[in-house]
Amino acid sequence: MKRLRIQPYLTDGKIQYDKVLNPEQLEVVFCPGGPMLVLAGAGTGKTTTVTYRVARLLEQGVPSGAILLLTFTNKAAREMMQRVEMLLGRKPTGLWGGTFHHIGNLILRRHASMVGYKEGFTILDREDQKELLDSCLAELKLEDKLFPKPAVLAEILSLHRNTLVDFDELFAQRFIHLQEFYDDIKRVFSLYAMRKTTLNMMDFDDLLHKLLELFKEHDELRQFYSSRFLHILVDEYQDTNLIQSEMVDLLGAAHRNLMVVGDDAQSIYSFRGARIENILGFPERYPDCRIFKLTTNYRSTPEILRFSNASIAHNENQFEKRLKAIRPSGEKPMVVELQDLYEQASFVASRVIELSKEGVELNEIAILYRSHYQSMELQMEFQRRGIPFEVRSGLRFFEQAHIKDILAYLKVLHNPYDELSWKRILKMLPGVGNVIASRIWDEISKTSSPLDALESVKKGLTKKAQESFRVFVSLMKGVKAIDYRGHPAEAISYFLDNGYEGYLYNTYPNAGQRYEDIVQLMRYAERYTSDGSSTYNALELLLSDLTLESISYAEEGDLEASRAVVFSSVHQAKGLEWKVVFVVGVNDGRFPSKKALQTEGVEEERRLFYVACTRAMQELYICYTLTDDGYSNILKPSRFITELPEEVYERVEIEYEYS
């Protein structure tokens, strides 16, 4: 295979920086050194600036082994390294580049004994970590299904270690619903830490935690690495947690040639432990730092930037900056008022079809939302109309485990001989696995009424399973008092309130989001009611419709993602861009979330809204609804809309054309 080497903008072996970079970027790239805070707005060429800065340092004679490039993904590090190689026409061997965890691993491999480990320690991935936690639960005899699952325990432990918040304080703030398990959770974590050391294993968080411990307890080693790195460059600095910012400060202490790049207006990951205070407080920690602002936006039209600038300006805690556009003028962002969630779904689907006819590729369109549950009606509408779409915020709505769980309860009410659904819900009970679930099914399936036969099941239950099964029998007996055939939404509410909510919080780290999904399913089911006069009852119609939607999707499953509209949460859309963006569900209590309104989280929610809007290149639609279903509580448009001057957007009225 023939290889072609391309060296862009090189004259006599020298990079022609002014051919590629704008004046703001050039100022950053040619800064001699010292502490530097680079505030890189959305779409302003941050990666290009960092890449050319590395190339400039190497061109000036800084040894590659004396440069440290810290990123949040290995992909970002590889991309920057490849770009540097292309610019220089050679591979910069020896340059330290990668994620914080990658760099932590490299250093700890050399000094494992100094933090109580042997050489050649193993790194636990997320699944391995859950298995070890599961082993600890078994050893302490806590593997009861009512006890928090390893995934939940891993989240608690990771948040504690990455935020460095006192465990009791963190537990009271974030996990108070697990208070009854507090003492046993601490026992599990103590055993887990001991087992890791004994087995010579580190988990993902140890790679940072142990590195910080190494530097704080061995000053000579910290000085060695701090002296080694003449220049340190940190990407996405607004997403760093407390450990990562301390790591950067310790490594940069000797030469102080520290360049941190980020955008405080895009700091949206506090739930993972990221601290906006790191970037906002950088000038206080480094009073002599130089502050650079990249504000020339290459992505969006002037109208979209005017809208986005006007929104983020309402935040008090920020570095003030206004993005300016390179692209030609276009349409103002459009604010669309819809009657309910179904009209919203219909509008978005209809507009997507029109855009496709106008020549916009489907994969150049994105539907963004604050929370995954807000996509349910949209997914169903797109499936009905045969519009290909790709869900990036998780599984398709009805493929999710918790939705399948709730539907399994409904299915056994509709069809008491549904073996698969019976076994699914039985195996959620503490002490019930495949064997006992099969025994119970064998006994009740031979009767004329499996639901009534539950009360007579006595044999084949272990002592551990007896109590949970007794509670389950009471649960299924209680549902008979509900008109579940005529009002399936009431049955969903019953199961959620009488046990399943607790199961969610003990099983899933993102239980709150899953709870919202089920509430949304319940709202959808409220459309299905019957009084007994119809040939089909409401429960039967609901289950039939949902099953047919799933089959419809399965038949379309071979559609190429490149030909599909993207469905994504705003968090997962960060760093991406599309020609056309729809932001849906922009109501107070939804976006911003109810939790943010009850706490002090509105500024982060506004940053999230800013991220959503700045994903759009040419067209931006902001959609809100007056109600969920046309007749329930009236919803308010988001304050992120009402606080804006009307001249920065266009209000859209929907006109229906009937042929």
Side-chain angles (χ1 to χ4, degrees):
M1 181 183 290
K2 187 176 182 180
R3 298 185 67 189
L4 298 176
R5 299 187 68 85
I6 302 172
Q7 297 182 357
Y9 300 114
L10 291 176
T11 303
D12 297 328
K14 297 291 183 181
I15 301 169
Q16 300 300 296
Y17 295 93
D18 58 348
K19 300 285 187 184
V20 180
L21 306 175
N22 64 42
E24 293 173 336
Q25 295 169 327
L26 282 169
E27 194 177 2
V28 173
V29 169
F30 280 83
C31 180
M36 302 165 60
L37 172 59
V38 182
L39 299 168
T44 58
K46 168 180 65 70
T47 301
T48 297
T49 305
V50 175
T51 301
Y52 274 80
R53 170 75 176 168
V54 173
R56 174 65 180 169
L57 292 173
L58 292 170
E59 195 179 57
Q60 285 186 306
V62 177
S64 355
I67 297 175
L68 172 62
L69 174 60
L70 288 165
T71 63
F72 268 84
T73 65
N74 288 315
K75 180 183 176 183
R78 283 195 299 270
E79 182 183 346
M80 288 188 190
M81 299 282 210
Q82 288 166 359
R83 287 202 196 183
V84 170
E85 181 180 355
M86 187 176 73
L87 285 172
L88 296 173
R90 59 182 173 83
K91 192 176 184 68
T93 54
L95 190 152
W96 284 53
T99 64
F100 286 86
H101 295 88
H102 173 70
I103 300 302
N105 178 49
L106 290 179
I107 296 175
L108 287 170
R109 289 284 170 196
R110 302 179 179 189
H111 312 287
S113 62
M114 300 175 81
V115 288
Y117 278 78
K118 306 180 188 71
E119 288 186 12
F121 62 81
T122 303
I123 300 174
L124 294 163
D125 62 23
R126 296 301 188 193
E127 289 305 310
D128 293 335
Q129 182 186 32
K130 291 176 193 174
E131 284 190 27
L132 185 55
L133 282 166
D134 210 19
S135 174
C136 293
L137 291 175
E139 187 172 332
L140 295 171
K141 301 189 181 339
L142 296 170
E143 67 269 45
D144 191 293
K145 288 189 180 180
L146 290 175
F147 196 81
K149 296 293 180 287
V152 176
L153 296 174
E155 186 204 18
I156 297 171
L157 188 59
S158 182
L159 201 57
H160 166 53
R161 300 174 76 201
N162 282 303
T163 59
L164 299 182
V165 173
D166 175 76
F167 185 80
D168 289 352
E169 183 183 339
L170 179 70
F171 205 87
Q173 289 175 354
R174 303 282 289 268
F175 305 101
I176 195 66
H177 54 279
L178 300 175
Q179 184 63 43
E180 63 180 299
F181 306 112
Y182 173 83
D183 291 334
D184 284 332
I185 287 174
K186 292 199 80 169
R187 287 173 59 213
V188 172
F189 289 164
S190 178
L191 177 60
Y192 172 72
M194 185 180 72
R195 291 283 300 276
K196 280 190 301 176
T197 306
T198 303
L199 297 170
N200 204 34
M201 292 176 167
M202 288 192 194
D203 62 31
F204 204 54
D205 296 321
D206 284 325
L207 297 177
L208 299 185
H209 216 265
K210 293 296 180 184
L211 181 67
L212 198 60
E213 178 186 317
L214 182 72
F215 285 162
K216 287 187 173 181
E217 295 183 3
H218 301 278
D219 193 56
E220 73 289 350
L221 204 62
R222 180 198 61 76
Q223 289 182 25
F224 169 78
Y225 282 102
S226 182
S227 299
R228 170 177 183 151
F229 298 121
L230 296 175
H231 288 269
I232 299 173
L233 301 89
V234 186
D235 189 24
E236 302 286 9
Y237 188 68
Q238 79 281 348
D239 294 335
T240 54
N241 60 34
L242 187 55
I243 288 185
Q244 289 162 336
S245 83
E246 286 196 25
M247 174 180 165
V248 169
D249 289 344
L250 289 171
L251 285 170
H255 298 290
R256 303 184 79 254
N257 292 322
L258 174 61
M259 182 177 99
V260 299
V261 185
D263 183 7
D264 57 293
Q266 297 187 73
S267 179
I268 59 174
Y269 296 115
S270 65
F271 65 93
R272 294 181 189 168
R275 298 174 76 250
I276 192 173
E277 294 83 3
N278 291 348
I279 191 167
L280 292 179
F282 190 82
E284 294 178 19
R285 298 201 310 280
Y286 297 88
D288 58 334
C289 79
R290 293 189 60 185
I291 300 178
F292 302 86
K293 295 181 181 180
L294 304 184
T295 60
T296 304
N297 177 282
Y298 295 91
R299 175 185 298 153
S300 307
T301 62
E303 290 76 13
I304 290 172
L305 293 186
R306 196 174 301 124
F307 181 93
S308 304
N309 286 332
S311 176
I312 200 64
H314 285 83
N315 272 10
E316 294 181 8
N317 300 309
Q318 64 170 318
F319 292 108
E320 188 178 343
K321 58 185 175 300
R322 293 184 67 81
L323 300 183
K324 50 185 183 288
I326 291 294
R327 293 177 67 91
S329 190
E331 297 280 348
K332 285 183 180 180
M334 292 168 230
V335 173
V336 189
E337 177 185 281
L338 290 312
Q339 185 63 36
D340 54 35
L341 297 173
Y342 310 105
E343 187 178 45
Q344 176 178 258
S346 178
F347 162 72
V348 173
S350 298
R351 184 65 189 127
V352 165
I353 291 171
E354 290 171 0
L355 288 164
S356 180
K357 290 177 180 176
E358 292 168 12
V360 180
E361 296 290 337
L362 291 181
N363 64 329
E364 295 177 324
I365 303 171
I367 319 295
L368 305 183
Y369 32 82
R370 171 65 180 82
S371 300
H372 185 56
Y373 76 85
Q374 293 174 300
S375 70
M376 189 189 86
E377 290 80 9
L378 286 152
Q379 289 189 39
M380 296 192 72
E381 185 69 18
F382 272 55
Q383 283 174 200
R384 272 195 287 268
R385 298 204 190 192
I387 306 171
F389 66 96
E390 172 193 3
V391 181
R392 293 189 185 172
S393 53
L395 294 171
R396 293 205 176 206
F397 193 84
F398 296 105
E399 294 174 342
Q400 300 173 103
H402 53 293
I403 298 298
K404 287 189 169 186
D405 289 345
I406 289 294
L407 292 180
Y409 281 108
L410 298 186
K411 286 177 180 179
V412 299
L413 294 178
H414 170 60
N415 173 17
Y417 295 96
D418 185 333
E419 177 182 357
L420 296 180
S421 294
W422 270 115
K423 288 183 175 179
R424 184 179 189 99
I425 57 181
L426 286 168
K427 285 190 289 186
M428 284 188 261
L429 304 178
V432 177
N434 287 320
V435 174
I436 294 179
S438 294
R439 286 176 188 165
I440 295 171
W441 166 248
D442 287 342
E443 189 166 341
I444 66 175
S445 64
K446 296 170 184 174
T447 69
S448 59
S449 176
L451 194 58
D452 293 326
L454 284 173
E455 295 184 57
S456 61
V457 173
K458 305 292 182 187
K459 299 177 182 178
L461 297 177
T462 63
K463 188 175 181 180
K464 185 177 178 182
Q466 285 174 4
E467 176 60 22
S468 62
F469 186 71
R470 184 189 64 77
V471 174
F472 174 68
V473 171
S474 177
L475 173 76
M476 299 307 288
K477 186 177 181 180
V479 78
K480 295 176 186 176
I482 298 171
D483 178 17
Y484 54 79
R485 290 186 178 85
H487 299 86
E490 292 182 19
I492 296 173
S493 177
Y494 173 82
F495 289 121
L496 185 59
D497 294 342
N498 291 276
Y500 194 75
E501 182 181 358
Y503 176 82
L504 277 178
Y505 279 96
N506 290 339
T507 306
Y508 301 109
N510 60 340
Q513 295 172 29
R514 292 175 187 259
Y515 179 87
E516 291 292 344
D517 286 345
I518 296 172
V519 171
Q520 194 68 8
L521 175 65
M522 187 164 57
R523 289 185 185 129
Y524 181 80
E526 286 172 352
R527 301 173 72 191
Y528 291 78
T529 59
S530 59
D531 56 10
S533 60
S534 172
T535 306
Y536 302 101
N537 63 56
L539 176 60
E540 184 176 15
L541 287 171
L542 172 66
L543 292 173
S544 297
D545 285 354
L546 296 183
T547 302
L548 290 172
E549 293 294 348
S550 299
I551 293 171
S552 172
Y553 163 60
E555 290 174 348
E556 297 165 2
D558 60 348
L559 288 165
E560 296 178 23
S562 61
R563 293 172 47 228
V565 176
V566 173
F567 279 50
S568 176
S569 68
V570 182
H571 282 102
Q572 288 176 300
K574 184 173 175 288
L576 304 175
E577 61 184 32
W578 294 271
K579 282 186 178 178
V580 182
V581 169
F582 295 83
V583 188
V584 298
V586 189
N587 289 88
D588 259 12
R590 308 285 165 81
F591 199 172
S593 69
K594 187 183 297 182
K595 183 179 179 182
L597 294 175
Q598 293 168 345
T599 58
E600 297 181 357
V602 172
E603 290 215 348
E604 178 158 340
E605 291 284 300
R606 190 176 284 108
R607 294 195 293 270
L608 192 61
F609 182 67
Y610 174 81
V611 167
C613 297
T614 54
R615 300 311 94 199
M617 300 166 69
Q618 294 179 4
E619 292 185 34
L620 174 63
Y621 296 84
I622 308 296
C623 304
Y624 69 92
T625 64
L626 297 177
T627 69
D628 281 325
D629 48 23
Y631 56 84
S632 60
N633 293 338
I634 298 296
L635 301 174
K636 294 180 180 179
S638 171
R639 62 197 61 200
F640 300 154
I641 298 172
T642 58
E643 68 192 7
L644 293 175
E646 291 190 1
E647 61 265 21
V648 302
Y649 61 84
E650 194 80 46
R651 280 204 170 271
V652 175
E653 291 185 6
I654 306 300
E655 294 181 359
Y656 294 97
E657 295 181 2
Y658 299 98
S659 55

